[in-house]
Amino acid sequence: MLAYGRGIIAVNVLAAVTHHADLVIVGRMLGARALGLYQMAYKVPEMMVIVAVWVVSKVLFPAFSRAHAAGEEVGVLYAAALRWVGLFVVPAALGLALVAEPLVVSLFGERWRDAAPILQALALYAGLRALGAHAGDVLKAMGRPGLLAAIAVAKAALVVPLLLIAARSGAVAVALAMAGVTALTMLFNVAAVCRLTRLRPAALLAALRPSLLAGAGMAAVLVG
């Protein structure tokens, strides 16, 4: 219990750092107005994308754990979950990025227009974070929280200095830095899952194909 639990504790503590470091740095280096714009922009994809993924994790983690204990193919279940999660996440994130300015002005008023470019970057960040979240559920379900914690340490060590550098260019740059680091760590998480479950990358791409097509359709409609 302690051997497993200390890995989970480390992951949760590091997640608190990596998921809130941007708010601290924006407030400290760019001031209260920038923090207000950033936090408002952050809440929109959080409510529409990230919260839904948290709910799904409540189901997937025990499902993956039960499958692993029963000797079933966890990789196949993960690919299926990624297919259905991606069908929601990819169009939602792209849609938010494309309609950010009219959405912000319509919902919050003209004075919040400067939050729109921040929302565009944070929508991409939320989509990447959501797509990578369930790889962590697989690692925890297979009894490898230590590996997940090691990736979280690398992310924390990378994200803080990058955010400090990005803050010199403004809040949008901070949001883009968050998206970039999240994309990188997502690749590490997914690679770890593929190795542990012997899931082929081609199977993952096949699982993501419907969501990519749905996202492209969403983008075409909104751009048109």
Side-chain angles (χ1 to χ4, degrees):
M1 294 280 293
L2 288 174
Y4 182 86
R6 66 189 179 191
I8 298 296
I9 292 171
V11 169
N12 289 338
V13 170
L14 290 166
V17 174
T18 56
H19 294 160
H20 297 91
D22 53 341
L23 297 174
V24 175
I25 290 172
V26 168
R28 181 69 176 174
M29 297 184 63
L30 301 178
R33 181 179 183 275
L35 178 60
L37 293 171
Y38 191 96
Q39 194 160 23
M40 191 281 292
Y42 185 92
K43 289 297 181 183
V44 177
E46 183 181 54
M47 289 186 297
M48 297 186 66
V49 178
I50 296 176
V51 168
V53 173
W54 289 343
V55 174
V56 173
S57 289
K58 297 292 184 182
V59 178
L60 287 183
F61 175 47
F64 290 151
S65 299
R66 188 178 299 113
H68 177 63
E72 299 176 10
E73 294 290 339
V74 179
V76 175
L77 294 178
Y78 170 67
L82 189 63
R83 175 189 296 271
W84 293 107
V85 170
L87 278 173
F88 167 74
V89 166
V90 174
L94 287 176
L96 280 177
L98 289 170
V99 302
E101 185 171 349
L103 181 67
V104 167
V105 174
S106 299
L107 293 179
F108 304 105
E110 184 66 32
R111 63 178 180 171
W112 290 96
R113 182 183 292 272
D114 289 345
I118 304 174
L119 174 56
Q120 289 179 318
L122 288 176
L124 298 178
Y125 158 68
L128 291 167
R129 179 178 166 185
L131 286 176
H134 303 306
D137 293 331
V138 174
L139 295 179
K140 290 186 289 185
M142 297 185 71
R144 300 300 297 272
L147 177 57
L148 187 60
I151 297 173
V153 168
K155 181 177 181 179
L158 184 63
V159 74
V160 173
L162 284 179
L163 292 181
L164 289 171
I165 296 170
R168 299 173 184 174
S169 300
V172 177
V174 171
L176 289 173
M178 287 290 289
V181 173
T182 300
L184 183 61
T185 53
M186 179 189 71
L187 291 177
F188 281 113
N189 284 341
V190 172
V193 168
C194 289
R195 182 175 180 180
L196 288 174
T197 63
R198 298 179 182 177
L199 182 66
R200 294 181 295 108
L204 281 182
L205 292 176
L208 284 173
R209 189 179 298 117
S211 59
L212 296 176
L213 292 174
M218 169 73 79
V221 170
L222 291 178
V223 170

